[in-house]
Amino acid sequence: MPAHFMYDGRDDNLFDHFSMVAQKLGVYTVKDYTDILDFLMDLWRVKELTGLSAEGRKAQDFVCELPLRLRKLEERALLRAKQAPTVPFTWISDTKLKL
């Protein structure tokens, strides 16, 4: 994700802070990402692929397990968002936002 490299010259955790705000506002959430992943995996029939090498089957298993793992992460992200601190965002005039 290109935004992972966001930096304003002051906040070393800017992307994490930005992500928490976006998640909390529902702009782009882990659920959205997981829904897109599920859609594409169904469209490409990833679970039904056959004739794969051992390495390919291992990769297939990993990818097919991602939605479940991400849904668990979503639960943790929602809990974290409820306990998040308030931090200033320098790129919006040091406005303090509750993460």
Side-chain angles (χ1 to χ4, degrees), residues 6-58:
M6 288 173 59
Y7 185 60
D8 61 0
R10 291 174 43 192
D11 186 352
D12 291 333
N13 298 309
L14 182 60
F15 176 74
D16 293 335
H17 297 152
F18 173 80
S19 295
M20 283 186 194
V21 170
Q23 173 79 23
K24 193 170 185 178
L25 292 173
V27 174
Y28 183 67
T29 67
V30 175
K31 182 185 180 322
D32 296 325
Y33 184 83
T34 306
D35 289 345
I36 292 166
L37 183 60
D38 276 333
F39 172 79
L40 292 174
M41 286 175 43
D42 288 344
L43 179 69
W44 296 330
R45 299 184 178 129
V46 174
K47 292 178 184 177
E48 291 85 30
L49 292 175
T50 60
L52 301 172
S53 66
E55 185 178 358
R57 284 190 306 276
K58 184 177 176 181

Side-chain angles (χ1 to χ4, degrees), residues 53-98:
S53 66
E55 185 178 358
R57 284 190 306 276
K58 184 177 176 181
Q60 181 184 38
D61 290 342
F62 176 81
V63 169
C64 289
E65 291 172 8
L66 274 177
L68 179 60
R69 292 173 53 204
L70 290 172
R71 297 216 191 276
K72 289 179 183 178
L73 286 173
E74 178 186 12
E75 291 172 21
R76 282 189 250 155
L78 291 172
L79 286 174
R80 231 179 39 184
K82 289 179 183 177
Q83 303 165 348
T86 300
V87 296
F89 277 75
T90 57
W91 48 277
I92 48 176
S93 305
D94 281 329
T95 301
K96 292 188 179 185
L97 299 175
K98 181 162 177 54

